[in-house]
Amino acid sequence: MSDFEPTIVAFFCNWCTYTAADLAGTSRLAYPPNIRIVRVMCTGMVDPKYVIKALLDGADGVLVSGCNPGDCHYINGNYKARRRIKLLKEIIEQFGFEPQRLRLTWIGASDGIRFAEIMREMTEQIKHLEPSAARLKMVI
Ligand code: FES
């Protein structure tokens, strides 16, 4: 069994997923420590450059998570994020990254349990992919 511990950069919407992360913490729910959280006001403000830069700088995965459809505090930011992530999956492939390294989820503010589950799922998914090519180049 590999001892690879991935680094996952996570862009979390302040109003929903970040609050769910806080709830998971205060509820003492266990989840892997592989996530590096970047709090944003809305998933709609996650510029594609942020995702590409995170991967090129050695992140093994990128997770973008925000409010459930219909709950975005800026009306349609999460729908914009959904369109961008779909395109970004194709773009990161051109850079040599597997599209599974990028994931978009919706986690409501009161859903600490789902938050912990998704963090476990994402970490396992990335572990199966092995370290990213960019990370390996940095080590060499
Ligand atoms: S405010 Fe949460 S995704 Fe837009």
Side-chain angles (χ1 to χ4, degrees):
M1 190 171 141
S2 163
D3 58 356
F4 164 53
E5 286 297 336
T7 300
I8 299 166
V9 174
F11 296 96
F12 290 162
C13 159
N14 176 62
W15 306 104
C16 292
T17 306
Y18 189 84
T19 307
D22 203 22
L23 178 62
T26 54
S27 306
R28 297 178 180 264
L29 298 172
Y31 58 90
N34 305 69
I35 311 288
R36 307 291 182 268
I37 298 175
V38 180
R39 178 161 53 166
V40 295
M41 293 308 286
C42 174
T43 54
M45 69 156 291
V46 177
D47 191 302
K49 285 182 291 197
Y50 302 166
V51 172
I52 292 168
K53 179 151 178 45
L55 290 169
L56 290 175
D57 283 353
D60 298 297
V62 176
L63 175 62
V64 178
S65 186
C67 304
N68 286 303
D71 288 347
C72 176
H73 289 232
Y74 304 96
I75 313 220
N76 59 4
N78 51 2
Y79 293 121
K80 288 178 183 168
R82 183 166 60 190
R83 287 195 294 271
R84 282 191 195 129
I85 296 295
K86 191 170 188 290
L87 287 170
L88 260 171
K89 281 179 173 271
E90 293 174 24
I91 292 168
I92 65 171
E93 246 184 312
Q94 302 302 311
F95 282 86
F97 298 104
E98 299 89 341
Q100 300 93 319
R101 291 190 186 276
L102 174 60
R103 183 172 174 185
L104 173 70
T105 61
W106 316 128
I107 304 173
S110 61
D111 223 344
I113 293 172
R114 181 169 148 74
F115 173 85
E117 281 170 8
I118 291 196
M119 297 313 115
R120 284 192 288 269
E121 266 178 40
M122 179 78 181
T123 304
E124 281 310 307
Q125 182 181 330
I126 301 298
K127 275 185 178 179
H128 282 106
L129 293 174
E130 299 296 323
S132 86
R135 181 199 263 227
L136 292 174
K137 280 182 194 158
M138 290 168 63
V139 173
I140 294 172

